[in-house]
Amino acid sequence: MKVKVVDYGVSDDPKKYYVTYKITDIDEESINKLKNRVEEELDLKSGDLYLTAYFNKEYYPFGSEESKYRSEDFIAREEIEMWAYLMSLLED
């Protein structure tokens, strides 16, 4: 399973902080498990799973000034953290 941040920001209406992840190289059984276990918004498109997580402003991972200058580091960290979270959900 691979996880990649494909979008992040603040929606206009209503104002929500979000991160969208693309999850690839995942089998159908794992997709079905995640659909039942993940509370975040999930969409299946062309065999890839898209997960959108919403955050309160104080917990938004890209809200700091440092994240603007070191965005690659923050994106990599988010991808690793989401991968670990999803793997924990897939464990039986």
Side-chain angles (χ1 to χ4, degrees), residues 2 9 11 30 42 46 58 65 72 88:
K2 296 178 185 174
S11 63
S30 295
L42 288 174
S46 302
E58 60 270 14
E65 282 298 313
E72 298 86 17
S88 73

Side-chain angles (χ1 to χ4, degrees), residues 5 8 62 70-80:
V5 171
Y8 60 92
F62 300 104
R70 298 181 50 201
S71 61
E72 298 86 17
D73 293 343
F74 279 77
I75 289 170
R77 185 179 308 136
E78 269 309 295
E79 291 170 349
I80 292 167

Side-chain angles (χ1 to χ4, degrees), residues 30-87:
S30 295
I31 289 172
N32 290 330
K33 280 184 181 180
L34 291 176
K35 283 182 178 179
N36 291 322
R37 297 176 182 178
V38 169
E39 295 180 10
E40 289 82 3
E41 182 181 308
L42 288 174
D43 291 313
L44 185 62
K45 298 176 187 172
S46 302
D48 296 328
L49 199 57
Y50 290 82
L51 183 151
T52 301
Y54 294 96
F55 298 88
N56 291 330
K57 183 178 182 177
E58 60 270 14
Y59 298 115
Y60 181 57
F62 300 104
S64 71
E65 282 298 313
E66 185 179 7
S67 72
K68 295 173 185 167
Y69 302 107
R70 298 181 50 201
S71 61
E72 298 86 17
D73 293 343
F74 279 77
I75 289 170
R77 185 179 308 136
E78 269 309 295
E79 291 170 349
I80 292 167
E81 288 180 7
M82 182 54 73
W83 180 88
Y85 168 68
L86 295 174
M87 291 303 290

